[in-house]
Amino acid sequence: MRIQDAQLKRFILDAGLVTRKDIDAAEKVAEKEKESLADALLAAGVVTEDDLRRIESYILGIPFVALKNEKIDFEILSLIPEPIARNHNIVAFKKNDKNLEVAMLDTADLPAIDFIKKKVGLKVLPRLTDTESMKSVLRQYQKTLKDEFGDIIMKESSALKVVTDEKGEELSEKDLKKMAEDLPVVRIVDTLLRHAIIQGASDIHIEPMENELLIRYRIDGILHDTMTLPKHAAPTIAARIKVLSNLKLDQKRLPQDGRFKMEMDDQKVSFRVSVLPIYYGEKIVMRLLRENRGNFTLEGIGFHGRSLELIHQATKATTGIILVTGPTGSGKTTTLYTVLDLLNTPEVNISTIEDPIEYQMPRINQTQVKPDIGFTFANGLRSLMRQDPDIMMVGEIRDSETASLAINAALTGHLVLATVHTNSASATVARLVDMGVEPFLLVSTLRVTVGQRLVRKLCEDKEQYVLTPSEKDNLGKHVDLDRVLKTLKEEKIVKANATWNSIPFYRAKPNPQCEDGYKGRMGIHEVLPISTAIKDIVMSKGTADDIKEQAQKEGMLTMAEDGVFKAVLGQTTLEEVLRVVSE
C-alpha cells in the first residue's frame, strides 16, 4: 500500500466507507503498534484487502479491472509463466503491438514488472484487480493448458504416417530415423514433455494397448490417465524418443535404457528413459529429474522437534554413518542432498557416488556408476577413499561389499551418508546384519537411521473436522495417540490442556484450481538414534521389532505418528498418511 495515512483517512471519511469512531480507533492502534493505518483497519476487520485495492486504484489513478469469469486468450495468458503468475499474483490479460496490460494485487511489485518487461519486450501497464479475479484467471492456466496441449497432440497425431512399408514389413533403422524426424511426431513428443514439466509430473508412462496408445503422468506419487492417442502413433513416438535418447531404433525385442535433457523456461530437466517390449509394442517410462533444485532445508522437507535435533547432532560428527531408508520414490535422495547442503562448507571435501546424479550441486564432486563397464558402487567407493574425502555419499548400499566398504570408511575417519531399501528405520539395522556386516562394527559407526515416506500436501482450501470416538479408536490401532499428543504439546502446536476431542483434522476439498484437493508432497519421518540400549539389542542379535520398541520408549515418533502430527498441522490428511504407511 503506497497511500499515505492522511490521504487514506480523508478519502475513507469523504466516501463514508468507515465511521469516524472506527477510524480514530484504528489510528490509535496504528500509532501504538507502529504500523500503517491500512494495516490497522484490516486487522480491525472494517475494510477488506480488496476495498483497499479499489481505494488505492482511485487515489493513485491506476485503473481497476474485474476479471472474474473473463476468458483470457491463451497466447496472452501464457506470456507470463504460471509459476511467476502464482508467486507474484500477476497475470497478462490484454495486449497490442506496443503494450501489455497486466492485472496485479500489488502494483508496487517492481521486480515482477521488470521481469515481464524484459521477457516480452513490450511496455507493461499495471492494473489493480481483486482476489477473486486473480483466482479466476490463475485457474485458467490449468484448463487452457490441457485444452491447448490436447488440441496440438490430436491435430498432429492425425498427420502421423503408419510405420510399416507397403508389404507390411517393419521399416529399417534408416527409415525409422527419417520418420522420427517428421514434424508431426517432433511436435507431439515435444508437447508431451513440456506438458509433463508444467504439470509437475515425476514420470511419464507411454503404454501401447490393443486399440490405442495410453499416456499417463505420475503427479505427487499418483498415476493419472492424461490422454489417449491413436494406436498407429505408438511406433513413431517410440522411434522419436529413442532418437532423443541415443537408443537403437531397430531393437524392439530387448529392453533399452537411455537419457536426454531439455530446457524450458530456464528450467533444465533430465529424462531417464526405459523402453520395455510388451505384447502390443514397446512401453516407455521416462523419469523427470529437475536439475539445480537446491535450497532445500530440513524443516522445509518435514523434519521438526526431536527428529530435527537428532539429524543436526549427527551432521556435527566427523565420523560415522547417517542412513536414510525407504522404498523407491520416497524422497531419500532429496533428504541426503539437503544434509549435504548443510555440510557443504569450504573446509571439507565432499564426494558422492550415485545412480544416477539427480541434482547437480556446486563444490561437490559427483560421480555416476556405470555397471555395464564394471564401475559399481563398491568400485567407486574404493576410488573415493583415495580422493582425500571428509564426507562421502553413497547413493545406495545394495550388497555386502558396498556395506563393508561404507563401514570401513566410517571407521577410518570419514562421515558417510547412504540410502538402504527397507521399510522402516529399525529394519535397516537388521538388513545390514543380513548383508554380513558385523554387529560390533555397525554399532560403533551408525549414528542415526531415518525412515521416510512421501505424503501429498493439502491445498489451502480444505475442510476442517474433529474425530468421532469410533474414528479415534480406529486410529489408535495404528499409532500411539498419547505419544503424538505429548509431542504436539511439547512443540506448542496445541494448548497444554488440549485433548483429541477438540483437536481439528482436515479433509481434501477438490476445486478447479486443485483438482483432487492435494498439491505437492512432503516427507513423514522416523528418526532412530543408536543409543546405548539399542546397541545392546543389536549386539545380542535382537529383531527389528525389539529395536523399534526400545526406540519408541526413548521417544521416537514412528512414520505413522509423524503423519498424524502433520495432519493436525493441516499439511496432509489422515487418509493420505494411512494410505502411504500401510504395508
Side-chain angles (χ1 to χ4, degrees), residues 449-463:
T449 304
V450 181
Q452 70 177 61
R453 297 282 193 286
L454 292 178
V455 293
R456 290 181 294 165
K457 286 161 69 175
L458 275 170
C459 297
E460 283 183 26
D461 197 8
K462 51 202 170 196
E463 205 175 292

Side-chain angles (χ1 to χ4, degrees), residues 537-565:
I537 293 170
V538 176
M539 290 298 291
S540 59
K541 297 186 178 174
T543 64
D545 288 339
D546 296 333
I547 295 168
K548 181 180 176 182
E549 190 180 327
Q550 179 59 35
Q552 286 177 295
K553 283 179 188 171
E554 293 174 10
M556 180 186 86
L557 282 184
T558 65
M559 275 182 279
E561 288 161 359
D562 190 40
V564 173
F565 179 95

Side-chain angles (χ1 to χ4, degrees), residues 242 249-256 275-278 281-282:
K242 284 180 182 179
L249 275 79
D250 56 348
Q251 178 56 271
K252 297 183 181 180
R253 294 181 299 171
L254 289 173
Q256 296 189 75
V275 182
L276 180 73
I278 61 170
E282 291 176 292

Side-chain angles (χ1 to χ4, degrees), residues 416-433:
V416 180
L417 281 65
T419 74
V420 184
H421 278 276
T422 56
N423 288 328
S424 65
S426 50
T428 306
V429 179
R431 174 88 180 98
L432 289 170
V433 172

